[in-house]
Amino acid sequence: MYRSHTCGELRASHINNEVTLSGWVQKSRDKGFIVWVDLRDRYGITQLVFDEERTPKAMMEMAQKLGREFVIQVTGTVIERASKNPNIQTGDIEILVSEMTILNEALLPPFTIEDKTDGGEDIRMKYRYLDIRRNPVKNSLIFRHKVTQEVRNYLSKEGFIEVETPYLIKSTPEGARDFVVPSRMNEGQFYALPQSPQTFKQLLMVGGMDKYFQIVKCFRDEDLRADRQPEFTQIDCEMAFVEQEDILNAFEGLTRHLLKEVNGVEVKEFPRMLYDDAMRLYGNDKPDIRFGMQFGELNEVAQHKDFEAFNNAELVVGIAVPGGNAYTRKEIDQLIDWVRRPQVGALGMVYSRCNDDGSYKSSVDKFYDQDDLAKWAEKTGAKAGDLVCVLSGDKNKVRAQLSALRMELAERLGLRNPNEFAPLWVMDFPLLEWDEDTERYHAMHHPFTSPKPGQLEMLETNPGDVKANAYDLVLNGNEIGGGSIRIHDKKTQALMFDYLGFTKEEAQAQFGFLMNAFEYGAPPHGGLAFGLDRLVAILGGQETIRDFIAFPKNNAGRDVMIDAPAPIDNKQLEELSLKLNLKS
């Protein structure tokens, strides 16, 4: 028996008991006549004590040679700690060691295994197995487990059946690039790793499973911007004989359950917002509604003066920064420099101070009088003491730029409280989006998304105006889930492929298995997939997903711990009938 108790288990009630513990040496303090050692395992820390009066000389010398992260086993008696430590659960006791075995020596770790470490991200990713010993990472993984178990329990109680779907599937041309896997037994042919189990969950509905879920790995070979990973985990769900309202109610229920059980937070309202309104008021389709600063469009009140930057812009738009009139000129200049960064891309920023006496002072007073600036304040909802920040330019670009500024200002103003949760449904996305490079429409979500009822005919006349029967669930400015009502009949699906530029032969080659299945009685169905990594991070009060993934990859998609991806030898290439054609 390596241990009778864990290192986080012993209390004053165990005093005088003989116990056996095993774990890692967190640190030791050698005073010559006495040695204290902190022993750590997943459950906590227990202090060990060796002293020259009660400890045999050979064991005392062994204790003095213990290094950080040595793995040891000790047996001893629980005694009352003379100097108690209220910061740890075992702080009332310590172990007077009578026996000790060094199970494994350890090299000095490349960074300190402490809550606040001296290791940078790169070195911690290389030695991730050491990083996991640190409480922040360990507790994040335990937290992920708790969320995952709550998801499984809730969905199972609601009648969902967990079904595993294949990882080796067929490559499809829509969406991000596939990761492909060569098949040795089928020379010259390839599997693809799934970007999602989309077609399989639809086939499960055709198969009559009625309510399906799966916590599943998905893969996308795309640039890893915005804290993404090439492999990620979804809570994938599908339901048959449902309309949009049924799905929204089902997954509001799951989200409420998680917030209550995991965070102790009761959330009653899940507001709904149209996609067009989200873009108009917040500049993006996943707005953070924990704070205000809605956009005010200023074309009517800012154009047709002599300020050409506004006159030549497709959109002039501003936000009111609460209390922003207190900013110094230097602080405002820093904001202007911030929006000019390449990551944001604005050419500049105009501002107007809303003074306490009701007057206004702007950076463009030469072109606009007090009445004009009062209209800016009215359009943006600015009050005395606020600052109006204005950007202009191409409609889509300037909305994205102002959205980035809004989030940055909210961060600086402390308006993004991680312990406050504001869910939001964003509805009625465009069904299609125009791609300038290919000069054709692409599905904004995927080719199996149904148009809103009554809008199918518009595909022939105004395809860009057709709305999808699709919805995203947003939490604190992050998309945590998205889904749609699916197309469930072959005729409509074929029409959709036609509008997406597929020939009949291409559609049959890529998706014939699904269209054939629809001929055997497909029920109306729809679903939603949560991004588990992002959901767990937000519930955990963070927005960085890496600490909630056991072995994440870096921004280049590399696992620096195992050094992957890596070349394979020529023998493997020959077995797979592959030949490399590397660019120099």
Side-chain angles (χ1 to χ4, degrees):
M1 182 178 66
Y2 279 107
R3 58 188 179 186
S4 61
H5 298 78
T6 69
C7 294
E9 186 176 350
L10 299 173
R11 302 290 187 271
S13 60
H14 295 95
I15 288 175
N16 295 325
N17 288 3
E18 184 176 83
V19 299
T20 299
L21 304 180
S22 293
W24 289 265
V25 173
Q26 174 80 14
K27 60 184 176 182
S28 62
R29 300 176 296 284
D30 183 0
K31 298 296 185 181
F33 63 93
I34 190 168
V35 177
W36 289 284
V37 174
D38 287 347
L39 189 67
R40 181 194 73 241
D41 64 9
R42 179 186 125 190
Y43 307 94
I45 290 177
T46 297
Q47 180 170 283
L48 314 178
V49 61
F50 307 79
D51 72 57
E52 59 185 12
E53 293 183 0
R54 296 175 288 180
T55 302
K57 183 178 179 182
M59 190 186 301
M60 191 73 178
E61 291 175 350
M62 190 188 304
Q64 290 171 326
K65 295 178 181 178
L66 291 175
R68 282 180 177 264
E69 303 308 310
F70 275 38
V71 184
I72 65 173
Q73 178 191 39
V74 298
T75 297
T77 303
V78 182
I79 62 175
E80 185 176 4
R81 188 164 167 170
S83 178
K84 294 180 172 55
N85 182 354
N87 297 318
I88 59 174
Q89 292 181 317
T90 60
D92 290 342
I93 59 93
E94 59 189 4
I95 310 300
L96 178 61
V97 178
S98 57
E99 300 176 32
M100 179 170 65
T101 302
I102 296 178
L103 301 174
N104 219 328
E105 295 184 357
L107 296 174
L108 185 68
F111 53 87
T112 54
I113 313 297
E114 303 277 359
D115 290 5
K116 294 183 178 179
T117 183
D118 56 358
E121 185 174 16
D122 290 344
I123 194 74
R124 289 188 290 108
M125 290 301 99
K126 184 175 181 179
Y127 296 93
R128 184 62 165 180
Y129 46 86
L130 297 180
D131 201 30
I132 290 172
R133 295 180 189 175
R134 297 173 50 244
N135 283 327
V137 181
K138 176 196 73 177
N139 291 337
S140 292
L141 295 180
I142 294 171
F143 183 81
R144 181 187 179 110
H145 163 75
K146 181 179 179 180
V147 173
T148 303
Q149 290 304 105
E150 289 295 340
V151 168
R152 280 198 164 96
N153 292 340
Y154 181 88
L155 291 176
S156 297
K157 288 178 181 177
E158 292 295 313
F160 286 80
I161 305 299
E162 186 168 9
V163 183
E164 295 177 74
T165 55
Y167 279 170
L168 296 176
I169 66 167
K170 189 175 186 177
S171 182
T172 59
E174 288 291 315
R177 293 185 186 91
D178 290 324
F179 283 101
V180 294
V181 181
S183 171
R184 180 184 58 81
M185 294 181 291
N186 299 275
E187 188 174 330
Q189 296 185 327
F190 296 82
Y191 299 106
L193 300 179
Q195 297 185 31
S196 80
Q198 180 61 47
T199 54
F200 289 101
K201 64 183 179 182
Q202 292 190 254
L203 290 171
L204 286 170
M205 296 302 101
V206 177
M209 291 306 293
D210 194 68
K211 288 183 175 182
Y212 141 93
F213 86 98
Q214 182 182 189
I215 297 177
V216 59
K217 282 288 185 186
C218 302
F219 308 86
R220 290 178 186 169
D221 186 7
E222 60 184 351
D223 295 336
L224 300 183
R225 55 187 174 83
D227 192 34
R228 293 183 179 178
Q229 291 282 300
E231 53 181 320
F232 55 96
T233 306
Q234 284 186 348
I235 309 166
D236 198 52
C237 307
E238 197 79 1
M239 303 166 70
F241 301 109
V242 290
E243 296 178 335
Q244 179 177 280
E245 197 67 26
D246 300 306
I247 293 174
L248 301 190
N249 290 333
F251 296 108
E252 280 185 20
L254 173 59
T255 309
R256 282 195 181 93
H257 174 80
L258 292 175
L259 287 168
K260 182 177 180 181
E261 295 301 319
V262 176
N263 297 87
V265 173
E266 297 267 6
V267 176
K268 294 182 179 180
E269 296 297 324
F270 280 66
R272 300 180 183 185
M273 184 180 296
L274 297 177
Y275 168 86
D276 289 344
D277 290 337
M279 298 303 295
R280 178 175 58 84
L281 296 173
Y282 297 98
N284 68 71
D285 58 5
K286 48 182 184 297
D288 191 337
I289 59 170
R290 285 175 293 178
F291 57 95
M293 287 196 280
Q294 289 186 352
F295 291 8
E297 296 188 356
L298 304 177
N299 288 43
E300 292 182 3
V301 296
Q303 290 183 327
H304 313 300
K305 299 289 182 176
D306 293 327
F307 190 52
E308 294 304 315
F310 284 179
N311 291 342
N312 296 329
E314 184 180 7
L315 178 66
V316 183
V317 62
I319 54 173
V321 184
N325 192 31
Y327 286 179
T328 64
R329 177 60 189 268
K330 181 180 179 180
E331 288 173 319
I332 294 176
D333 287 343
Q334 287 173 346
L335 284 180
I336 295 172
D337 290 339
W338 191 90
V339 299
R340 283 175 171 165
R341 297 182 314 147
Q343 300 94 316
V344 180
L347 295 177
M349 184 185 83
V350 169
Y351 66 89
S352 173
R353 295 180 180 275
C354 302
N355 298 319
D356 292 338
D357 63 3
S359 65
Y360 303 93
K361 178 65 178 175
S362 83
S363 57
V364 286
D365 280 345
K366 178 180 177 181
F367 303 100
Y368 297 94
D369 60 27
Q370 291 291 297
D371 288 340
D372 295 324
L373 298 177
K375 292 174 183 176
W376 292 15
E378 180 183 357
K379 290 282 187 181
T380 58
K383 300 178 176 59
D386 292 350
L387 178 75
V388 177
C389 297
V390 183
L391 301 181
S392 62
D394 174 79
K395 179 175 64 176
N396 293 331
K397 288 182 180 179
V398 79
R399 281 176 173 165
Q401 292 160 359
L402 191 60
S403 175
L405 176 60
R406 175 179 179 269
M407 296 297 280
E408 174 66 15
L409 287 165
E411 198 70 45
R412 296 185 185 191
L413 293 167
L415 300 177
R416 304 190 69 207
N417 179 0
N419 297 314
E420 179 186 353
F421 297 95
L424 171 73
W425 286 109
V426 177
M427 325 277 293
D428 293 7
F429 286 78
L431 182 68
L432 307 172
E433 55 184 347
W434 181 256
D435 186 284
E436 295 289 347
D437 294 332
T438 60
E439 295 187 340
R440 68 180 180 92
Y441 282 105
H442 290 263
M444 189 164 190
H445 283 78
H446 53 66
F448 316 108
T449 300
S450 174
K452 292 289 286 187
Q455 295 194 10
L456 184 62
E457 295 76 14
M458 288 172 57
L459 282 172
E460 294 189 15
T461 55
N462 299 296
D465 294 336
V466 179
K467 300 298 184 184
N469 205 345
Y471 34 81
D472 279 358
L473 182 55
V474 176
L475 186 61
N476 294 0
N478 291 271
E479 178 195 336
I480 60 167
S484 66
I485 298 297
R486 322 302 185 190
I487 297 169
H488 67 277
D489 67 276
K490 183 177 180 179
K491 182 180 178 181
T492 304
Q493 188 65 72
L495 184 62
M496 177 61 72
F497 285 140
D498 183 48
Y499 281 108
L500 291 173
F502 288 84
T503 65
K504 288 182 172 59
E505 293 75 19
E506 287 171 337
Q508 183 64 33
Q510 293 291 337
F511 303 108
F513 63 93
L514 182 64
M515 298 174 74
N516 293 341
F518 284 173
E519 294 194 288
Y520 290 91
H525 60 281
L528 179 141
F530 286 89
L532 179 63
D533 309 306
R534 184 78 55 200
L535 172 63
V536 170
I538 295 170
L539 294 178
Q542 300 182 38
E543 291 189 10
T544 301
I545 65 175
R546 286 184 185 173
D547 279 351
F548 294 88
I549 299 172
F551 300 103
K553 293 176 173 57
N554 67 13
N555 289 336
R558 295 196 63 83
D559 185 326
V560 295
M561 182 184 69
I562 63 172
D563 193 24
I568 60 175
D569 62 36
N570 288 331
K571 183 179 179 181
Q572 287 177 288
L573 289 173
E574 289 173 7
E575 288 177 341
L576 296 168
S577 303
L578 293 178
K579 186 176 181 180
L580 298 181
N581 182 23
L582 299 175
K583 297 177 181 178
S584 57

